[in-house]
């Protein structure tokens, strides 16, 4: 028999010796230093050493018993943008801007014209508390009116009787003049006269539009061309009997 050579056996993966996991330099997924940036880092905690029962004061802070938010890291807060929902804003009210009717430009005089001085009446000023000067009504001087002043000569005095209500103005109000009895003075007499303007005639010839007759210029009810009309006559002018005929020189035949 002839030898045909070694027989081919299928490859077994377990027999293949390849590089182990330590041959690859992949970034670790544990801790924060050189952490794989394609993976999320979980929260990490550190453990303190056990405290002994000595009498000396040492750090007795509790261990990892606090709830630390996952986005808090040793390098800061790592999370995406967050938004909060507020209440609906109050609708804006009506604008406080004054309208066109608030202003009165007709009351403002022209700035180029002169006008008389105007004054305003203010409120009474407050009294000064430190002013100790007595007022005029603090003095009690004797009256100089009438004949009862012994140290002063008295002038002739007369007594005025009261007004009679019968037939007076307080009884009949029609006797008092009303506001219409007085005439107002023209401001142009005691003030500078403002500029006056007059209206002139039309200075341009009207266009063709103004020559066209309007709807009222036509009388369609008087048109009788399209229907039968009764005979009508017109009255001529009466001529004088002494009117001479028109004589025109004619050539002799």
């Amino acid at each position: 028999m002839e030898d045909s050579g070694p027989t081919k056996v299928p490859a077994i993966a377990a027999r293949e010796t390849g590089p182990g996991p330590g041959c690859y330099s992949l970034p670790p997924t544990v801790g924060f230093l050189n952490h794989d940036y394609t993976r999320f880092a979980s929260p990490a905690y550190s453990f303190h050493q056990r405290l002994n029962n000595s009498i000396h004061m040492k750090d007795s802070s509790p261990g990892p018993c606090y709830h630390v938010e996952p986005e808090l890291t040793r390098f800061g807060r790592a999370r995406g943008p967050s938004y909060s929902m507020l209440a609906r804003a109050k609708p804006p009210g009506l604008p406080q801007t004054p309208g066109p009717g608030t202003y009165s430009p007709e009351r403002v005089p022209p700035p180029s014209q002169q006008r008389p001085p105007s004054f305003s009446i203010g409120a009474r000023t407050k009294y000064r508390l430190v002013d100790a000067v007595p007022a005029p009504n603090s003095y009690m001087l004797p009256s100089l009116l009438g004949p009862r002043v012994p140290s002063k000569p008295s002038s002739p005095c007369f007594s005025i009787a009261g007004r009679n209500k019968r037939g007076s103005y307080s009884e009949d109000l029609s006797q008092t003049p009303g506001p219409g009895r007085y005439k107002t003075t023209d401001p142009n007499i005691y003030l500078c006269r403002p500029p006056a303007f007059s209206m002139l005639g039309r200075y341009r010839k009207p266009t063709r539009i103004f020559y066209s007759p309007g709807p009222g210029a036509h009388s369609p009810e008087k048109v009788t061309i399209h229907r039968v009309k009764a005979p009508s006559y017109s009255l001529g002018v009466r001529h004088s009997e002494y009117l001479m005929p028109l004589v025109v020189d004619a050539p002799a035949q």
Side-chain angles (χ1 to χ4, degrees):
M1 296 179 63
E2 296 180 359
D3 190 5
S4 60
T7 305
K8 294 182 178 181
V9 181
I12 299 175
R15 296 180 179 179
E16 298 294 335
T17 58
C23 295
Y24 302 98
S25 57
L26 297 177
T29 58
V30 179
F32 293 95
L33 297 178
N34 300 326
H35 189 273
D36 189 1
Y37 61 89
T38 61
R39 304 294 181 181
F40 290 99
S42 302
Y45 308 95
S46 61
F47 293 90
H48 198 271
Q49 62 182 356
R50 179 179 293 179
L51 301 177
N52 53 10
N53 296 328
S54 63
I55 61 175
H56 300 286
M57 292 294 297
K58 293 184 178 181
D59 189 6
S60 301
S61 59
C65 63
Y66 302 102
H67 174 69
V68 182
E69 297 181 3
E71 62 268 10
L72 295 178
T73 63
R74 58 183 295 188
F75 300 103
R77 187 182 296 270
R79 65 176 181 180
S82 59
Y83 305 93
S84 60
M85 298 180 64
L86 299 179
R88 179 177 295 176
K90 295 182 180 180
L94 297 177
Q96 301 298 329
T97 308
T102 308
Y103 305 97
S104 301
E106 67 278 358
R107 298 182 181 179
V108 179
S112 60
Q113 299 180 6
Q114 297 181 358
R115 56 177 179 174
S118 57
F119 305 93
S120 61
I121 301 176
R124 178 178 294 176
T125 58
K126 297 182 179 179
Y127 297 102
R128 293 179 295 177
L129 300 178
V130 297
D131 191 359
V133 180
N137 57 354
S138 300
Y139 304 96
M140 300 298 296
L141 298 178
S143 177
L144 300 179
L145 299 178
R148 297 183 181 182
V149 182
S151 61
K152 298 291 182 180
S154 62
S155 301
C157 56
F158 306 92
S159 60
I160 301 176
R163 179 179 294 177
N164 189 8
K165 294 184 177 180
R166 180 173 297 179
S168 62
Y169 293 107
S170 60
E171 182 180 1
D172 188 7
L173 299 178
S174 62
Q175 298 181 8
T176 58
R181 293 288 301 274
Y182 303 98
K183 296 182 180 179
T184 58
T185 306
D186 190 5
N188 296 329
I189 297 178
Y190 58 90
L191 296 178
C192 294
R193 178 173 296 178
F197 305 94
S198 59
M199 300 180 63
L200 300 179
R202 181 179 295 172
Y203 62 91
R204 186 175 59 182
K205 185 177 180 180
T207 58
R208 188 177 182 84
I209 301 176
F210 295 92
Y211 287 105
S212 58
H218 306 280
S219 300
E221 67 278 356
K222 297 182 181 180
V223 179
T224 57
I225 298 177
H226 61 286
R227 55 191 176 87
V228 181
K229 179 183 178 184
S232 58
Y233 304 94
S234 59
L235 298 176
V237 181
R238 178 179 295 178
H239 299 282
S240 176
E241 298 177 357
Y242 304 98
L243 183 64
M244 295 182 60
L246 180 62
V247 179
V248 182
D249 295 339
Q253 297 181 359

